[in-house]
């Protein structure tokens, strides 16, 4: 099965509101309450409205009074009983082990001979995983983002300053995000602090507008330092034109209130095929992303 098809459900499961129950150590069998999701007893807590009777005697979910979803892929013990596999060679199929859980998810998604390369069968597999059309749409979006991040952009028809800018940005993949980091000369330590309280003072790298400042400087173009200010340079591409109006080398903007450039909070560099080079947020590295990876698309700007 495609790896991105497996990554989508895993990413969404880890992003849900209940506390995470990450992979356990190989021989660990105790399940602290803080590592387990809500008890599925129909109480409404965590959004559950259906009673799931206990099937494992508490072996995996720590309770014999009902069921909990467990592990990084959030299997019910009853489901795990049918699809669980030992992927790490310890002779135990453990839903709390990341390797085992990933293989079990692949078995579950590909069951009944499904071909996940076919869109209808992929959606059916995701729907089986969680019977919610909103969930299917969310996971499908993550799959698109992982697919975009894994592809190397085709620059065969990209030349001149546009190619210079894109190659300069792509060369920074793997460089850490640093709030306030990056100059026209390259990565630098940043400042304190981001809206989430993350400091860049000890991290050498780029924030979003630092990366664009550097890449465009390779083509001799001096940009203002902030994303909102960069939106005032060049030919503005309105959000209403959609992302298909973007061309390689364009700046891509995101705003809290699209249509009001003063609320722009993020910028990337479009490389084509729905992808951009992105210094996304603290704790990440510069990487390729889908243009819909950030919220509040606010159009672009063409400088080249």
């Amino acid at each position: 099965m495609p790896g991105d098809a497996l990554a989508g459900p895993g990413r969404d499961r880890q992003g849900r509101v209940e506390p995470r129950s990450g992979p356990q150590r190989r021989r660990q069998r105790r399940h602290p309450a803080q590592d387990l999701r809500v008890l599925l007893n129909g109480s409404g807590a965590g959004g559950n409205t259906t009673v799931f009777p206990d099937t494992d005697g508490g072996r995996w979910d720590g309770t014999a009074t009902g069921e909990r979803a467990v592990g990084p892929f959030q299997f019910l013990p009853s489901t795990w009983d049918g699809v669980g596999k030992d992927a790490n060679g310890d002779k135990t199929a453990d839903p709390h082990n990341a390797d085992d859980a990933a293989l079990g998810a692949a078995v579950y998604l590909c069951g009944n001979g499904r071909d996940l390369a076919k869109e209808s069968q992929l959606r059916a597999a995701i729907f089986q995983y969680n019977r919610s059309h909103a969930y299917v749409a969310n996971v499908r979006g993550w799959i698109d983002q992982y697919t975009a991040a894994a592809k190397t952009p085709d620059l065969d028809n990209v030349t001149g300053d546009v190619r210079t800018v894109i190659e300069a940005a792509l060369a920074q993949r793997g460089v850490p995000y640093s709030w306030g980091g990056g100059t026209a000369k390259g990565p630098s330590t940043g400042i304190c602090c981001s809206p989430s309280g993350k400091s860049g003072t000890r991290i050498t790298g780029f924030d979003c507008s630092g990366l664009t400042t550097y890449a465009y400087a390779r083509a001799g173009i001096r940009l203002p330092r902030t994303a909102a200010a960069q939106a005032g340079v060049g030919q503005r591409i309105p959000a209403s034109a959609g992302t298909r109006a973007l061309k390689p080398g364009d700046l891509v903007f995101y705003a809290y209130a699209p249509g009001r450039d003063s609320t722009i909070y993020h910028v990337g560099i479009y490389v084509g095929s729905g992808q951009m080079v992105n210094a996304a947020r603290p704790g990440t590295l510069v990487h390729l992303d889908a243009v819909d990876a950030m919220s509040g698309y606010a159009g672009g700007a063409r400088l080249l």
Side-chain angles (χ1 to χ4, degrees):
M1 66 181 290
D4 46 17
L6 182 60
R11 173 61 180 82
D12 185 76
R13 291 286 180 168
Q14 293 297 345
R16 294 173 74 82
V17 297
E18 301 94 347
R20 278 194 270 187
S21 56
Q24 306 297 305
R25 294 188 180 185
R26 177 173 293 187
R27 296 179 181 172
Q28 187 172 341
R29 287 294 176 266
R30 297 182 64 191
H31 308 294
Q34 66 269 25
D35 289 339
L36 297 169
R37 301 294 173 103
V38 67
L39 185 66
L40 299 176
N41 58 5
S43 67
N48 87 90
T49 58
T50 304
V51 177
F52 287 85
D54 177 67
T55 62
D56 69 335
R59 181 188 184 193
W60 299 123
D61 60 9
T63 179
T65 63
E67 294 277 79
R68 300 179 195 268
V70 298
F73 280 82
Q74 289 296 280
F75 280 104
L76 290 177
S78 56
T79 304
W80 183 252
D81 185 58
V83 302
K85 300 293 180 181
D86 172 23
N88 67 343
D90 68 353
K91 298 183 180 180
T92 299
D94 184 349
H96 294 277
N97 177 277
D99 294 331
D100 294 358
L103 181 56
V107 170
Y108 187 66
L109 291 167
C110 294
N112 300 318
R114 286 195 190 94
D115 181 357
L116 301 192
K118 296 180 179 178
E119 181 68 19
S120 62
Q121 295 187 39
L122 173 61
R123 289 184 173 274
I126 298 170
F127 187 75
Q128 174 188 263
Y129 207 88
N130 186 338
R131 294 180 179 278
S132 161
H133 292 292
Y135 175 82
V136 173
N138 192 21
V139 169
R140 194 65 187 84
W142 280 110
I143 290 172
D144 288 343
Q145 291 186 35
Y146 281 115
T147 300
K151 291 181 178 178
T152 298
D154 181 5
L155 301 181
D156 288 348
N157 296 319
V158 178
T159 60
D161 287 344
V162 172
R163 190 181 185 103
T164 297
V165 168
I166 292 175
E167 288 184 337
L170 288 172
Q172 303 310 306
R173 284 180 291 182
V175 174
Y177 182 100
S178 176
W179 177 259
T183 70
K185 296 181 179 180
S188 68
T189 54
I191 60 175
C192 184
C193 281
S194 73
S196 61
K198 303 297 184 181
S199 174
T201 56
R202 296 185 179 182
I203 302 173
T204 299
F206 292 101
D207 65 8
C208 64
S209 54
L211 177 64
T212 55
T213 295
Y214 167 75
Y216 272 85
R218 299 305 92 197
I221 296 174
R222 183 176 180 177
L223 290 179
R225 184 56 182 79
T226 67
Q230 290 177 5
V233 180
Q235 175 190 345
R236 197 72 165 87
I237 303 165
S240 59
T243 58
R244 291 189 177 186
L246 296 170
K247 293 183 179 181
D250 288 347
L251 294 175
V252 190
F253 298 105
Y254 302 86
Y256 296 114
R260 293 171 52 196
D261 283 359
S262 61
T263 70
I264 286 175
Y265 71 91
H266 193 77
V267 61
I269 298 175
Y270 189 68
V271 298
S273 301
Q275 297 174 281
M276 65 178 173
V277 186
N278 194 17
R281 60 184 63 86
T284 66
L285 307 176
V286 175
H287 62 282
L288 278 173
D289 244 341
V291 292
D292 60 0
M294 312 295 293
S295 62
Y297 175 66
R302 186 162 299 148
L303 287 74
L304 299 169

